[in-house]
Amino acid sequence: MALKFEVLGKFNRARAAQLTLPHFICQTPLFMPVGTQGTIKGLTNIQLEEIGCQLILGNTYHLALRPGAELIDELGGLHKFMNWKRALLTDSGGFQMVSLLHLADITEQGVTFQSPVDGKPMLLTPEESIQIQNKIGADIIMALDDVVKTTITGPRIEEAMYRTLRWIDRCISEFIWNCARRIRSCFTRYMCQRFGGPRFTRKANLTSYWDSYAIGGLVGGEDKDSFWRVVAQCTASLPEDKPRYVMGVGYPLDIVVCSALGADMYDCVYPTRTARFGTALVPEGILKLKNRAMANDERPIDLTCSCMVCKNYTRAYLHGLVTKDAMGSQLLSYHNLSYMMRLSKNLHTSIVEGRFPEFVRGFLQTQFPRGDVPEWVCNAMEVAGVDISSCCTPLASWHD
Amino acid sequence: MRFVAAKACAGSRARAGALYIGGNSAAPIETPSLLISTLKGLPAFISRDHLGDLPAPDSHLLHVSPIHFLDCPATKTICTIGGLHQMVGLHDHFFIASPRDSLESLPESDGTNKLGASFETPSGRQLVKPSAYMEMITSLMPNLWASMADEVPAWVSDKRNKTSVDRTLRWLDECINLDLVYENALTCTVEGGKNVLGFVVGGSSIEERKRCATEVAARNVSGFWIGGFGLGESIEERPALLHAVTDSLPEEKLRLVSGLSLPEEVLQGVAVGVDFFDSTYIYHLTLRGFALIFPHNIVDEDIVDRPLDDYPNDCTKINLRATIFRKDTSSIVANCTCFTCQNHTRAYINHLLNVHEMLAHILLEIHNTHHYLGFFRTIRETIKNGKFDLFHKKFIQSRRIHLASVVQYS
């Protein structure tokens, strides 16, 4: 198994690890910016490297549409096409297909959908998903799963779970028989398996073949209480020695909680998307730079941040740029991603250095200075075995 | 700040010069030189870290329009932050301010009246009085600034044109006075009146151009901002108008012209002795997905004898949206040392443009700025070698050959 996952430190369920991929050696917990169409919106590769980005996500669905998997393959794979020297991960394309397209129909064969280009019916099979991802050539690829929302109940969930397992077998075959021969000069590809739904069952076939696991199907509108419970259940059941990737997460608070519960990798469009709406991520939560109060605020976005934006620009100046000028989006995206990279690094380092609970307490105290930590966080931390009682004020005292 | 000009050679008005920024700065900015356009003090797409990759000190010369700051931040805030350079994080750069830019704040001569100049801005039409303008200038503290002007298009009546000259002169005097007043009121260390560029207008009338230039030259200014071009006059009548102005200006002070954007127009300006160019060429090219490719070293080549096939499409620029670039893994220009050409391919930029990604414009603005700065460097070299007129002629010729080839094959 060429994907190496080495746990360097633990605190109860939380772990800090080194993930060795063909293009880069990553440290987890880590956050992956989403480079949907082969670029992180508004940032150059050099800037991404500068802020400490290790692994980027590319969307198979979007890239297969434009510029096309064949073209990417012809030009040497996505790394070469983008000139990104570090690691890449692609998803299977399934999620977008179901969430973005009308008339998506899921059968045993695969996902039938309407092509956005000419409206003709198209079929994405597990085999084809692997083939497309193989052409794109990321370090980590994903098996196609039968995507179900967590809010769905009934027999559909079980149907989806077993179909996913059958599809995964098909993905493996395709990978072994048809992709292995196409190993490129310096990397091979790895498979992930996706589990989702509130009724995870241990009947699932956890073979040792898998390099890593992804927990998906969340971020579809479920409440936070269900969310953390699903993550907790999955991390409890999945093997210790392989990375766990919670897809579509997310808010800094969610990442801290999931890391405490034993997850390792995250991706989300939130930091860059919210930047384009003028919202900055700060230790206290968020800062809305469009707010009139910012117009004459001479402080940087975050006094504790040492990114290029915070070292050079004031809130007052950025107030005039955000949502109006491209430069505003760029600068805010730069800061927000710096924040996420810093968060990842802090999570990793605090676990390795044996001060994870202190870090969590500091994080929560900064975000909830009045002690109003949400109940779901308290419950999750209890399960994770992290004592945050000092961060939570009893209800009586702040309800006066 | 010190400007030194030298004539190229006998018979040529083109001149090489040097702008000494002062302080502990290194090399002077050599002229003729390009002002890089900015929105609110920063290039449209190039952030300060990538701006540092461009050749220095050429890339340190920036244009700024105080009109961009009409809404925010407040002048008091700008002052407390420490002025423009501090606010935009470009401490070593040289900013030249004018109330007009062709990106956003287009002058609206219909709205202009005796109280102030009117501009079409993204937040609507704004009337700017000299007092408001000077308040902003004082808080921003650009290295040089142009006085307020009433710029009119070429087709206005003679009467309106004459009024614009009278107004512009009056506002020049007002701006100089206000500068001294504000300098005394605030504690900013600005050398009042010493870094003003007198604005010269006059439309398409040679007489008015001469009158304005002469009057402005009589004031105590550091140099001249020659405006009112690029507003509807024909490219043929321009040289005469430019001559009329530069002939009436003292040799030893710097001349800047706005509204001459294209390479041919720049060459026209250089030929009559202009030192600085405020051009929005790069911005407009970049937005439309074009990348500059024209060769710089054409002086030593025999353009006239080249077969027409050597100029397949427009030999100035390529439209990277075109499908022919889908699989083109070469850089925009071979051997170009800009960040874009060193790191990315035409195919990648083509893809980015097609999916409307911001990175396309970042990469294009970097390359186009680098390339256009190279064009100016070539101009300076040919002036120093006494070959400017030849270069000018060959450049125009190479463009005509392209046009001829288009005509032949259509």
Side-chain angles (χ1 to χ4, degrees):
Chain A
M1 202 84 61
L3 180 160
K4 235 177 66 165
F5 184 72
E6 194 190 332
V7 175
L8 301 174
K10 284 174 73 84
F11 180 84
N12 293 346
R13 299 170 81 154
R15 1 33 113 70
Q18 186 162 281
L19 174 66
T20 307
L21 297 170
H23 282 88
F24 201 65
I25 301 175
C26 307
Q27 293 184 328
T28 68
L30 70 72
F31 174 79
M32 281 183 272
V34 179
T36 309
Q37 306 195 95
T39 160
I40 306 290
K41 296 197 188 310
L43 293 175
T44 61
N45 292 342
I46 299 284
Q47 289 174 325
L48 289 167
E49 284 176 20
E50 252 165 32
I51 63 179
C53 184
Q54 312 177 77
L55 177 51
I56 292 179
L57 183 144
N59 279 120
T60 302
Y61 170 76
H62 290 98
L63 292 169
L65 269 182
R66 294 182 296 190
E70 290 295 341
L71 187 146
I72 295 179
D73 191 21
E74 212 181 302
L75 299 187
L78 187 59
H79 279 94
K80 197 148 175 240
F81 186 61
M82 287 172 69
N83 196 20
W84 173 244
K85 302 195 167 61
R86 297 184 177 184
L88 280 173
L89 179 150
T90 50
D91 61 349
S92 63
F95 182 73
Q96 267 84 33
M97 226 159 296
V98 167
S99 63
L100 291 181
L101 298 169
H102 307 298
L103 307 179
D105 198 21
I106 303 175
T107 62
E108 189 58 32
Q109 236 196 325
V111 181
T112 313
F113 59 99
Q114 212 179 27
S115 161
V117 176
D118 52 13
K120 286 205 298 244
M122 290 186 61
L123 175 68
L124 180 73
T125 62
E127 290 83 1
E128 211 176 299
S129 169
I130 296 302
Q131 274 303 334
I132 295 173
Q133 292 185 77
N134 183 45
K135 288 178 183 148
I136 294 173
D139 298 72
I140 305 181
I141 67 177
M142 305 277 298
L144 183 66
D145 61 322
D146 186 355
V147 183
V148 188
K149 288 203 168 99
T150 45
T151 43
I152 286 185
T153 53
R156 175 78 183 100
I157 300 176
E158 203 140 334
E159 181 199 30
M161 201 195 73
Y162 285 114
R163 177 174 293 146
T164 296
L165 292 172
R166 288 193 294 277
W167 279 5
I168 280 166
D169 287 336
R170 286 163 63 182
C171 287
I172 300 177
S173 299
E174 184 66 20
F175 181 64
I176 294 177
W177 297 114
N178 296 324
C179 298
R181 287 179 238 139
R182 305 203 56 206
I183 290 175
R184 293 209 182 85
S185 55
C186 57
F187 59 94
T188 53
R189 281 152 299 271
Y190 305 99
M191 304 286 297
C192 286
Q193 184 179 33
R194 188 188 277 183
F195 293 88
R199 287 174 47 205
F200 173 74
T201 164
R202 289 194 175 80
K203 287 184 199 157
N205 184 15
L206 298 172
T207 67
S208 60
Y209 186 85
W210 300 104
D211 292 309
S212 55
Y213 298 89
I215 303 163
L218 299 166
V219 307
E222 70 286 338
D223 60 289
K224 284 292 198 249
D225 201 49
S226 310
F227 164 70
W228 80 261
R229 286 179 203 281
V230 171
V231 173
Q233 237 182 345
C234 291
T235 51
S237 320
L238 290 170
E240 290 269 316
D241 59 342
K242 298 188 182 173
R244 297 103 173 235
Y245 162 31
V246 188
M247 309 182 76
V249 169
Y251 300 120
L253 179 60
D254 296 0
I255 289 178
V256 172
V257 171
C258 292
S259 300
L261 293 171
D264 311 294
M265 295 159 65
Y266 310 93
D267 83 277
C268 196
V269 294
Y270 175 67
T272 38
R273 183 171 290 171
T274 209
R276 295 196 293 283
F277 289 104
T279 302
L281 297 177
V282 290
E284 293 78 10
I286 57 169
L287 192 71
K288 294 197 171 159
L289 284 164
K290 283 309 301 163
N291 206 302
R292 220 180 274 172
M294 299 289 121
N296 295 303
D297 193 333
E298 293 144 34
R299 294 172 288 175
I301 293 175
D302 176 13
L303 277 160
T304 67
C305 180
S306 57
C307 80
M308 181 264 289
V309 179
C310 291
K311 284 213 287 217
N312 288 282
Y313 299 107
T314 57
R315 298 173 182 192
Y317 179 66
L318 292 167
H319 170 82
L321 287 182
V322 293
T323 73
K324 292 200 193 122
D325 298 295
M327 185 57 66
S329 295
Q330 275 184 50
L331 294 176
L332 216 45
S333 295
Y334 187 102
H335 165 78
N336 283 358
L337 283 182
S338 296
Y339 176 84
M340 298 305 289
M341 296 303 117
R342 202 160 49 115
L343 178 66
S344 305
K345 199 164 162 59
N346 284 337
L347 284 166
H348 174 90
T349 325
S350 66
I351 297 173
V352 164
E353 291 176 4
R355 44 178 186 83
F356 181 64
E358 290 95 319
F359 172 74
V360 174
R361 286 194 281 272
F363 180 87
L364 291 174
Q365 271 157 356
T366 316
Q367 285 227 345
F368 305 101
R370 285 174 17 201
D372 49 337
V373 179
E375 206 178 320
W376 70 271
V377 175
C378 297
N379 295 337
M381 287 302 177
E382 210 181 345
V383 168
V386 178
D387 177 16
I388 59 164
S389 49
S390 59
C391 312
C392 305
T393 332
L395 278 172
S397 64
W398 62 268
H399 258 166
D400 299 333
Chain B
M1 193 281 301
R2 197 167 53 94
F3 176 71
V4 175
K7 262 252 180 67
C9 49
S12 176
R13 302 175 109 103
R15 53 197 222 158
L19 180 69
Y20 293 87
I21 305 177
N24 50 1
S25 204
I29 294 180
E30 293 185 1
T31 64
S33 190
L34 170 74
L35 261 66
I36 296 177
S37 344
T38 66
L39 280 171
K40 296 182 179 123
L42 287 176
F45 303 103
I46 311 176
S47 53
R48 65 183 299 283
D49 43 348
H50 282 299
L51 191 59
D53 295 334
L54 290 171
D58 326 20
S59 62
H60 285 201
L61 188 58
L62 303 166
H63 171 260
V64 65
S65 174
I67 309 298
H68 292 161
F69 300 106
L70 276 175
D71 290 333
C72 60
T75 50
K76 190 160 153 270
T77 309
I78 301 177
C79 254
T80 334
I81 293 175
L84 175 67
H85 295 75
Q86 185 65 31
M87 188 168 64
V88 302
L90 296 174
H91 311 94
D92 297 332
H93 291 64
F94 195 87
F95 280 95
I96 304 186
S98 80
R100 170 224 171 148
D101 80 286
S102 309
L103 304 187
E104 283 187 349
S105 304
L106 305 172
E108 182 46 61
S109 60
D110 288 343
T112 299
N113 56 36
K114 64 183 179 198
L115 294 173
S118 183
F119 297 94
E120 286 292 353
T121 73
S123 46
R125 197 178 275 199
Q126 307 254 21
L127 187 75
V128 179
K129 300 182 185 169
S131 52
Y133 179 67
M134 286 315 297
E135 236 186 85
M136 285 191 289
I137 291 288
T138 317
S139 64
L140 288 168
M141 294 192 289
N143 302 82
L144 288 172
W145 53 272
S147 54
M148 266 190 57
D150 179 11
E151 286 184 278
V152 293
W155 54 80
V156 298
S157 66
D158 290 342
K159 186 170 171 227
R160 178 68 183 88
N161 195 25
K162 190 173 176 306
T163 310
S164 82
V165 173
D166 294 333
R167 230 175 240 165
T168 302
L169 292 170
R170 208 179 62 234
W171 286 343
L172 169 58
D173 292 331
E174 233 179 290
C175 286
I176 294 179
N177 286 338
L178 284 166
D179 189 38
L180 292 167
V181 168
Y182 287 146
E183 188 219 343
N184 291 332
L186 298 166
T187 50
C188 310
T189 49
V190 158
E191 299 172 350
K194 294 221 180 86
N195 38 15
V196 59
L197 301 178
F199 212 114
V200 178
V201 289
S204 302
S205 155
I206 302 233
E207 256 177 53
E208 286 299 309
R209 283 277 175 188
K210 272 197 189 137
R211 178 168 81 94
C212 196
T214 318
E215 287 290 332
V216 174
R219 271 73 167 172
N220 184 18
V221 295
S222 300
F224 307 93
W225 183 291
I226 307 167
F229 285 113
L231 295 172
E233 77 285 356
S234 68
I235 202 166
E236 286 87 21
E237 60 180 331
R238 209 182 279 151
L241 294 165
L242 283 168
H243 269 297
V245 173
T246 53
D247 278 349
S248 317
L249 298 176
E251 293 278 321
E252 70 280 8
K253 294 189 181 173
L254 67 90
R255 299 104 171 244
L256 189 157
V257 76
S258 57
L260 302 195
S261 275
L262 303 176
E264 302 92 314
E265 297 176 317
V266 166
L267 291 172
Q268 259 184 348
V270 172
V272 302
V274 173
D275 309 299
F276 295 94
F277 292 82
D278 172 34
S279 164
T280 56
Y281 187 46
I282 292 166
Y283 178 74
H284 292 295
L285 278 179
T286 300
L287 276 193
R288 287 158 54 209
F290 282 91
L292 289 175
I293 57 163
F294 63 85
H296 293 146
N297 55 345
I298 60 171
V299 170
D300 299 323
E301 290 178 6
D302 220 347
I303 296 278
V304 192
D305 295 344
R306 274 251 202 113
L308 292 173
D309 289 340
D310 272 17
Y311 301 95
N313 33 39
D314 180 348
C315 52
T316 317
K317 57 190 188 288
I318 49 175
N319 180 355
L320 280 170
R321 282 185 215 272
T323 45
I324 48 168
F325 298 115
R326 276 191 81 226
K327 297 186 184 176
D328 189 339
T329 52
S330 59
S331 53
I332 298 176
V333 169
N335 303 322
C336 175
T337 54
C338 81
F339 172 84
T340 305
C341 291
Q342 292 290 303
N343 287 281
H344 295 291
T345 60
R346 294 173 174 195
Y348 184 56
I349 301 176
N350 171 270
H351 162 68
L352 293 175
L353 285 166
N354 287 328
V355 295
H356 312 291
E357 282 285 348
M358 203 185 297
L359 187 60
H361 296 124
I362 299 173
L363 296 178
L364 282 176
E365 196 179 43
I366 290 174
H367 169 79
N368 288 337
T369 307
H370 182 102
H371 198 89
Y372 216 34
L373 287 175
F375 173 62
F376 277 83
R377 205 170 312 121
T378 308
I379 291 177
R380 293 194 289 269
E381 271 162 28
T382 58
I383 293 177
K384 284 186 203 146
N385 301 339
K387 288 189 179 171
F388 175 72
D389 287 341
L390 177 63
F391 173 71
H392 189 178
K393 199 170 88 175
K394 283 202 158 180
F395 193 91
I396 304 296
Q397 245 176 356
S398 69
R399 305 275 275 168
R400 292 213 179 108
I401 288 175
H402 152 67
L403 288 172
S405 72
V406 168
V407 168
Q408 185 178 42
Y409 290 117
S410 62

